[in-house]
Amino acid sequence: MEDLPEALLGDIIKRLPTTRDLNSLSLVSKRLYTVEAELRDTIYVGCGVCPVTVALVSLCYRFRNLSKVEFNYSDWTTNHGTQLANQGLYVLSSCCPSLTDLTLSFCSHIDDSGLGFLARFKKLMSLRLKALPEITSAGLLSVAVGCKSLSALRLVDVGGKGPSALRLMNCKNVDSVEWLEYLGKFGSLEELVVENCQRVGQLDLLRFGSGWMKLQKFEFQNWCLPNRFKLDGPSYVADSQSRYDICCDFLKDLTLARITAEEEIGLCCLLRKCKALENLSLYYVHGVHDHDMITLAHNNRNLRSISLMLTPQHCEGYVYRTTLTDDSLNALARWCPMLQSVELTFFGCEPDWPEIGFTQEGLVMLIQSCPIRDLTLGGANIFDDEGMKALSCARFLESLRLLRCIAITDAGLHVLARSPSLISLTLELCNGLTDDGVAEFVRAQKLESLTIEKCSRISLKGVQGAAKTVHYTDDCPGFKKWVERCVYGSKW
């Protein structure tokens, strides 16, 4: 090892996957200790590091090329000692001039004054703030003004990757959006994510102005299901004449979750304005209709991924169902020839009432028309063994997840086993399936991965040999995560 060229040694070190491996390697010899320290560009600081300010000086002295630092005090108690505070950020800015990516999670001792020190990081491009209760809009404005290279800002519980991103989550104390207006005028954000900012409403995003023209990724999420009869957000005013006159021609990734929008008042208008979308996620958005999806499909021929989580809403007359119908699926099938990943989840729908707006025929038509490789169906009570026949003929389908699809039986699994490309299958809460259905995959020997969660009539013995890798559990962690995602959203 000592005789290896420096470049080869460095390449070996870069391939080590975990910090524990890197730490162990550095103890082997002085040379490895030195080379590993030079190559280390990321460190994670948790509750066990105390006093943190002193430790920072030592860490930065050893790892002189740090570009990414994360502080996380999610499990902190008073027994852990002191947390990172404002002075710690000042010390870090002095010792780590090349920092480009900083994460502060559950740092309750950081306030607006601490954020003021971030301007000292001249190369800082990505900043993530989570659960910082003392942060206000004034601190965000100081970040917007002082961090000239900032391209990613993420706020969670305070109040991207990618070269340019802004992420806001659960910002309870952020009641002014001057920072947003400033970034729109003078910033260069390509990614903007706003999650659960209770005082930042949909109409406030108008203040981002010309910044929309540069965005490539946008997310707006709440962490609770929306009021079905009221446009959410403190900035909403009844009979408002405000309209979203924005240009988002370069937007590639759009996520809207747990919000309510009215016709041309609210973020659903983005669906009709985007022209370059590749990834679309709509999670329990009230106010999305077929004409929105038809326009989106027509204008975004490069759409590759779509994720829809739908819940019943009051439609015209006394109809109570999910608002999107086969008209939306037809548009996707007709105009999105590159669609490869589809997730359709239905929450609160029953076979009789409330109904799902899609039909099995519409789903089959979409599957047959697009080169779908990854398909997830959750709560799709309209999908039965006839639909499984269509999946068995899908040439490109590699990964399938069926969650609480109660109409599927063993007969459907028998035909699915003939699927030409399927290598990964996940079944959760599909109680119509038994060992007999899984036995067909044992005989076919095609699957690389099989996951069975809480399928009461499938036994551990029955799945043995069905795939190269088998995961079986009587619990349903996947379903629990799904419910949490449905109700609370993705918590970064």
Side-chain angles (χ1 to χ4, degrees), residues 91 138 156 299 429:
V91 171
V156 188
N299 292 339
L429 288 171

Side-chain angles (χ1 to χ4, degrees), residues 190-220:
E190 293 180 5
E191 179 180 335
L192 170 62
V193 181
V194 180
E195 289 197 25
N196 203 37
C197 295
Q198 298 178 6
R199 299 182 183 180
V200 179
Q202 297 181 56
L203 300 185
D204 291 322
L205 292 164
L206 289 169
R207 301 279 294 275
F208 194 52
S210 60
W212 285 101
M213 298 178 63
K214 308 166 190 174
L215 281 184
Q216 294 188 24
K217 179 177 180 179
F218 174 68
E219 294 184 22
F220 186 88

Side-chain angles (χ1 to χ4, degrees), residues 123-417:
K123 299 181 180 180
L124 187 64
M125 297 178 63
S126 179
L127 174 65
R128 301 171 180 85
L129 307 177
K130 180 177 182 180
L132 274 66
E134 302 302 319
I135 299 300
T136 71
S137 55
L140 295 183
L141 182 59
S142 69
V143 169
V145 174
C147 299
K148 303 298 184 182
S149 300
L150 188 66
S151 57
L153 174 61
R154 307 182 177 196
L155 307 181
V156 188
D157 278 326
V158 289
K161 295 180 180 179
S164 302
L166 171 66
R167 186 159 191 157
L168 304 166
M169 301 184 191
N170 205 21
C171 308
K172 299 177 181 177
N173 291 339
V174 179
D175 52 1
S176 169
V177 288
E178 290 183 59
W179 52 271
L180 186 59
E181 184 176 16
Y182 185 93
L183 287 171
K185 288 182 178 179
F186 306 108
S188 56
L189 296 180
E190 293 180 5
E191 179 180 335
L192 170 62
V193 181
V194 180
E195 289 197 25
N196 203 37
C197 295
Q198 298 178 6
R199 299 182 183 180
V200 179
Q202 297 181 56
L203 300 185
D204 291 322
L205 292 164
L206 289 169
R207 301 279 294 275
F208 194 52
S210 60
W212 285 101
M213 298 178 63
K214 308 166 190 174
L215 281 184
Q216 294 188 24
K217 179 177 180 179
F218 174 68
E219 294 184 22
F220 186 88
Q221 299 195 40
N222 292 319
W223 284 357
C224 59
L225 293 177
N227 186 322
R228 295 174 179 170
F229 310 103
K230 182 180 179 182
L231 184 68
D232 56 325
S235 56
Y236 174 66
V237 179
D239 302 320
S240 170
Q241 299 301 310
S242 298
R243 295 294 183 267
Y244 282 76
D245 185 18
I246 57 180
C247 176
C248 52
D249 290 349
F250 298 101
L251 196 63
K252 295 181 179 181
D253 196 322
L254 173 63
T255 298
L256 302 176
R258 289 161 295 278
I259 64 172
T260 298
E262 293 182 2
E263 188 74 19
E264 294 196 27
I265 303 180
L267 292 172
C268 289
C269 73
L270 293 173
L271 301 177
R272 301 187 296 275
K273 294 179 179 291
C274 297
K275 297 180 181 179
L277 271 187
E278 296 181 3
N279 304 295
L280 172 66
S281 299
L282 300 177
Y283 303 147
Y284 308 110
V285 177
H286 294 279
V288 177
H289 301 283
D290 282 330
H291 62 84
D292 297 311
M293 297 300 296
I294 293 171
T295 302
L296 179 139
H298 184 267
N299 292 339
N300 297 271
R301 305 297 177 96
N302 291 328
L303 189 67
R304 288 174 168 78
S305 172
I306 185 168
S307 179
L308 302 177
M309 291 187 173
L310 306 173
T311 189
Q313 302 177 39
H314 289 278
C315 303
E316 293 183 6
Y318 297 98
V319 178
Y320 186 57
R321 58 165 172 78
T322 57
T323 55
L324 299 183
T325 70
D326 285 355
D327 291 342
S328 294
L329 298 181
N330 289 332
L332 292 170
R334 180 179 180 182
W335 289 310
C336 300
M338 302 180 70
L339 190 60
Q340 297 182 6
S341 178
V342 175
E343 177 184 8
L344 301 175
T345 298
F346 309 96
F347 194 77
C349 297
E350 299 296 337
D352 298 325
W353 187 90
E355 298 178 350
I356 294 173
F358 298 144
T359 67
Q360 178 164 261
E361 290 72 21
L363 293 178
V364 168
M365 179 267 306
L366 178 66
I367 293 167
Q368 293 175 339
S369 302
C370 298
I372 298 173
R373 298 181 182 276
D374 186 354
L375 176 63
T376 296
L377 296 176
N381 54 59
I382 58 172
F383 200 78
D384 58 21
D385 294 340
E386 288 299 315
M388 296 290 275
K389 289 181 181 179
L391 291 182
S392 70
C393 300
R395 292 186 298 131
F396 301 98
L397 186 64
E398 298 177 353
S399 176
L400 175 64
R401 182 187 180 203
L402 301 174
L403 193 157
R404 210 166 52 86
C405 294
I406 59 176
I408 298 173
T409 69
D410 288 341
L413 280 190
H414 288 166
V415 296
L416 182 66

Side-chain angles (χ1 to χ4, degrees), residues 425 427 449-453 460 463 467 469-473 475 477-478:
L425 176 62
L427 304 173
S449 172
L450 174 63
T451 299
I452 305 293
E453 294 188 2
L460 178 59
V463 301
T469 303
V470 175
H471 174 77
Y472 179 92
T473 177
D475 195 6

Side-chain angles (χ1 to χ4, degrees), residues 24-43:
S24 298
L25 179 70
S26 66
L27 299 177
V28 173
S29 69
K30 289 184 177 180
R31 186 187 181 205
L32 289 175
Y33 181 90
T34 301
V35 174
E36 191 276 327
E38 291 177 354
L39 294 175
R40 182 85 69 98
D41 60 359
T42 301
I43 61 171

